[in-house]
Amino acid sequence: MVVEKSKAMPMAIKKTNVETMKKAQRKKKLAPYLFVLPNLLIFLIFIIIPALMGLVYSFTSYNGVSDMKFTGLENYIRLFNNAEFWKIMLNTLIYAALVVPLVFAISLGIAMLMIKEMKARGLFRAIIFWPTMISFIIVGLSWKWIFGDSFGVITYLLEAGGLPPIKWLSDPVIAKITIVIATVWARVGFFMVIFIAGLQSIPASYYEAAQIDGANRSQLFWKITLPLLKPTSLLVFMLLIVESVKAYPLIFSLTGGGPAKETTLIVQYIFEFGFTKSEVGYASAMSVILFLLIGIFTLIQFKWAEGGKID
Amino acid sequence: MTQKAGFFTYLALILLALIFIAPVLWIFISSVKGPIDLYSWPPKFLPDSLSFENFTAAFSKGNFGLYFINSAIVAVSATILTLLINTMAGYALSKFRFKGDTLILFLFLSTLMIPIEVIMTPIFTVISKLGLYNNLLGLIIPPAATPMGVFLIRQYLLTVPDDLLEAARMDGAGEWRIFWTIIVPIAKPVIAVLTIFSFMWRWDDFIWPLIVISDPSKYTIQLALANFIGEFRVDWGSLLAMSVVTMIPILIVFLIFQKQFVKGMATSGMKE
């Protein structure tokens, strides 16, 4: 940190102060715009404009190369009649409906254990946080290595324990469970950290007062912990919904979306049409529907958290 | 609530720790097995002798060194850019009142809910039009404006007293200097949080490179791994070794910023 000494002569101090303050005021007005500009520009160019373009594409037959032709609602009508699309949408919803509450409950539970006074707390936190730092591609790979039919160590352990083998990756129902388990394993640490931060911000005096009034443990949790965690919970819910859309790499490397598209989620499907099949217009219509779904869930969350403010 | 941990808490945590660490350990152990130990049935939990064959193979045959360098260039420069522009934006949105500030904040927060995966086809058009296709810059610049980053920094800076900044202005400090000499040092813990996240996001990213890069000489590690998986006969030895090496830089970044990270997470915007 460099702090320059004022070079002004003592006599001139008063006058320069007034002038510099005026100048500072003017600069202060302009400053926030300049500070926010780089971020805002990137934002507009790479998020807002593409989002709007996607909306436009969804009403066209654009294939990524040639001129786009306006086709009205054709893509949407085609989508509504596409059974495969709805199956994959359902896969995505089932996946999110399992991942969101599971990760929420488990990471909150672990966070509540972790804020207790104990030895080796840092080590425990680091171990649970560690999977969070591993890329989804590698998480998928690791789980494939562990759950694989012919070389997976879990398969061996089951066999050694006299249990029937489980088709972790090739049974339509079990494969769905496997991708959920892998996701929970990979994400719990991240949300644990957020919950720890939230829990630590609840004043201890609240608990003490309630305990004096004779509240038991479950009352403490439902009447104090959970309500006061609302802002944190809202953030966690929002992030989790987004995360469950982003699971494509994990599934790509774990099951490849199979068997028979049973673990294919919507992002993989959009990618398939948008890039592999060059049906950009059609893929964009899928994106719009996905976006609307995310929006609806977010609104429900906000309604639920009314009173839990963001700032 | 500072309770002391009892026996059952320890028991639960030890069990959890085992569940969480076992898969990673298994990858690490498997990566130093020779081909015979690697595919033996029943699986050998510990190899008879250490073999680093997998690692040398990944670097010599797999061109892994190049992908590693590409990933490093992208992750490091994208993180620096992210830190700079997100801290600037977070500062503006927490410490200034200006026309349009709520609108801009709303824009940032609403896009927290648009994962880029949703808009990947139009993003591809924008990337190509700007000449960023098959260009590492295309992996560095666009993802630098993260709504999450702006949000974290803003929440953290809201707790900084305005008087501090006013005092500096009275002393004639310019806005840019206030930013560097007051805001950045104060925000160190939350910047550490963002450093770890940003590095993780970029280092681990798959979808964005998949969209932007097609030239194998510009592959990042994650793309290379995915390509390996896609091959007909999976070379598990190299794959496991690459996975292990890929985890190391993140571990290093985490260890460097860990102390600040814990402090930052405890104070960044999770409060009422």
Side-chain angles (χ1 to χ4, degrees):
Chain A
M1 220 196 294
V2 189
V3 180
E4 284 172 37
K5 278 184 189 149
S6 172
K7 283 167 193 155
M9 303 282 284
M11 278 185 302
I13 282 178
K14 227 177 173 180
K15 201 179 160 201
T16 25
N17 255 356
V18 174
E19 265 172 26
T20 45
M21 271 175 68
K22 268 190 189 160
K23 228 164 113 189
Q25 279 302 325
R26 268 201 310 276
K27 273 191 187 161
K28 201 192 154 193
K29 279 215 161 136
L30 190 64
Y33 293 101
L34 294 176
F35 277 118
V36 92
L37 188 69
N39 221 324
L40 193 60
L41 269 182
I42 295 181
F43 234 77
L44 289 174
I45 298 172
F46 296 104
I47 296 180
I48 305 293
I49 292 176
L52 295 174
M53 282 163 66
L55 186 63
V56 174
Y57 287 173
S58 76
F59 298 105
T60 69
S61 59
Y62 189 46
N63 62 11
V65 192
S66 63
D67 291 340
M68 48 183 107
K69 218 178 83 200
F70 181 76
T71 55
L73 289 175
E74 202 175 280
N75 288 326
Y76 290 93
I77 293 165
R78 195 176 144 203
L79 264 187
F80 277 95
N81 293 317
N82 179 353
E84 196 176 61
F85 171 75
W86 292 109
K87 178 186 163 182
I88 282 159
M89 214 49 167
L90 189 66
N91 285 349
T92 312
L93 284 175
I94 293 172
Y95 176 80
L98 290 170
V99 162
V100 174
L102 275 176
V103 173
F104 189 93
I106 296 173
S107 50
L108 177 58
I110 297 178
M112 289 181 67
L113 292 178
M114 287 284 183
I115 57 165
K116 294 182 179 176
E117 233 174 77
M118 67 175 92
K119 287 189 180 116
R121 183 158 72 176
L123 181 68
F124 280 130
R125 282 187 188 176
I127 288 175
I128 308 240
F129 187 70
W130 175 241
T132 299
M133 297 194 277
I134 305 171
S135 80
F136 266 177
I137 289 279
I138 295 177
V139 170
L141 260 177
S142 318
W143 283 72
K144 195 173 181 173
W145 177 244
I146 292 163
F147 286 94
D149 288 344
S150 55
F151 44 76
V153 69
I154 296 283
T155 306
Y156 167 71
L157 288 176
L158 287 176
E159 200 176 88
L163 295 164
I166 295 176
K167 290 195 176 328
W168 295 102
L169 306 173
S170 54
D171 179 274
V173 176
I174 298 171
K176 282 197 178 83
I177 298 172
T178 309
I179 61 173
V180 171
I181 298 174
T183 315
V184 170
W185 179 82
R187 302 314 291 149
V188 155
F190 181 82
F191 294 100
M192 169 197 77
V193 173
I194 294 183
F195 274 127
I196 287 174
L199 287 170
Q200 280 173 343
S201 71
I202 300 176
S205 56
Y206 288 21
Y207 290 103
E208 284 154 17
Q211 268 168 331
I212 289 168
D213 292 343
N216 63 30
R217 272 197 186 183
S218 89
Q219 282 171 324
L220 289 183
F221 177 74
W222 292 103
K223 298 268 149 93
I224 298 181
T225 310
L226 217 50
L228 286 176
L229 272 183
K230 259 195 181 176
T232 313
S233 306
L234 178 66
L235 180 72
V236 169
F237 264 121
M238 283 173 57
L239 290 175
L240 265 175
I241 290 171
V242 176
E243 291 251 336
S244 50
V245 172
K246 288 167 139 352
Y248 168 52
L250 189 154
I251 290 153
F252 170 84
S253 68
L254 185 53
T255 64
K261 292 215 163 37
E262 285 293 337
T263 58
T264 300
L265 302 189
I266 187 65
V267 168
Q268 186 178 345
Y269 204 57
I270 295 175
F271 190 90
E272 194 182 309
F273 277 91
F275 293 96
T276 318
K277 296 184 178 164
S278 291
E279 296 202 46
V280 176
Y282 193 44
S284 297
M286 295 178 198
S287 291
V288 171
I289 291 178
L290 177 60
F291 179 69
L292 287 177
L293 272 178
I294 296 176
I296 291 168
F297 281 118
T298 316
L299 277 179
I300 295 172
Q301 284 314 316
F302 268 107
K303 271 263 177 284
W304 169 76
E306 248 168 4
K309 37 193 186 315
I310 295 170
D311 57 359
Chain B
M1 185 168 56
T2 37
Q3 269 178 301
K4 278 217 160 170
F7 172 72
F8 285 104
T9 308
Y10 277 113
L11 188 69
L13 284 176
I14 289 169
L15 281 176
L16 279 168
L18 283 175
I19 293 172
F20 276 83
I21 207 158
V24 184
L25 269 184
W26 186 240
I27 298 297
F28 271 77
I29 294 170
S30 301
S31 74
V32 289
K33 287 176 182 167
I36 296 164
D37 286 345
L38 196 59
Y39 295 108
S40 72
W41 192 266
K44 273 194 185 132
F45 286 92
L46 290 173
D48 294 335
S49 62
L50 289 182
S51 150
F52 292 96
E53 231 175 277
N54 296 328
F55 291 87
T56 46
F59 276 95
S60 62
K61 281 188 302 187
N63 225 349
F64 187 55
L66 174 71
Y67 308 138
F68 194 88
I69 291 169
N70 286 342
S71 273
I73 292 171
V74 169
V76 171
S77 32
T79 299
I80 293 171
L81 189 64
T82 301
L83 292 178
L84 180 68
I85 67 175
N86 286 3
T87 311
M88 282 166 61
Y91 172 46
L93 290 169
S94 61
K95 290 287 140 204
F96 293 90
R97 286 273 147 270
F98 56 100
K99 254 191 199 139
D101 54 355
T102 6
L103 176 72
I104 293 173
L105 185 66
F106 174 76
L107 267 184
F108 284 159
L109 286 181
S110 59
T111 49
L112 200 60
M113 295 304 294
I114 313 181
I116 66 118
E117 286 78 0
V118 176
I119 46 174
M120 55 194 171
T121 36
I123 280 180
F124 179 77
T125 315
V126 173
I127 295 274
S128 327
K129 288 251 159 71
L130 292 175
L132 293 173
Y133 183 61
N134 263 332
N135 186 336
L136 289 187
L137 281 177
L139 297 182
I140 295 169
I141 298 170
T146 64
M148 180 74 177
V150 177
F151 178 71
L152 280 176
I153 301 269
R154 174 179 177 269
Q155 295 305 99
Y156 187 88
L157 289 179
L158 281 175
T159 60
V160 174
D162 289 337
D163 302 351
L164 200 63
L165 310 177
E166 282 310 323
R169 280 188 194 114
M170 295 289 255
D171 289 345
E175 296 299 332
W176 189 238
R177 194 158 129 212
I178 291 176
F179 175 75
W180 281 107
T181 57
I182 299 179
I183 294 300
V184 170
I186 286 180
K188 250 189 199 161
V190 71
I191 290 177
V193 172
L194 192 54
T195 308
I196 291 181
F197 284 167
S198 169
F199 190 85
M200 260 165 55
W201 289 332
R202 298 286 74 84
W203 186 266
D204 289 345
D205 203 359
F206 173 65
I207 296 274
W208 196 277
L210 187 66
I211 298 170
V212 176
I213 302 294
S214 72
D215 175 358
S217 73
K218 291 186 175 124
Y219 272 5
T220 61
I221 286 172
Q222 308 298 339
L223 276 184
L225 283 171
N227 215 37
F228 254 73
I229 303 168
E231 279 176 15
F232 181 64
R233 201 187 148 278
V234 177
D235 175 6
W236 276 103
S238 298
L239 214 50
L240 292 167
M242 281 160 77
S243 302
V244 168
V245 177
T246 304
M247 289 184 223
I248 291 170
I250 297 221
L251 184 63
I252 293 171
V253 171
F254 185 70
L255 288 177
I256 294 173
F257 293 99
Q258 185 198 28
K259 260 224 168 90
Q260 294 281 344
F261 177 78
V262 174
K263 216 160 116 202
M265 280 311 290
T267 39
S268 54
M270 310 307 169
K271 292 177 190 168
E272 265 290 276

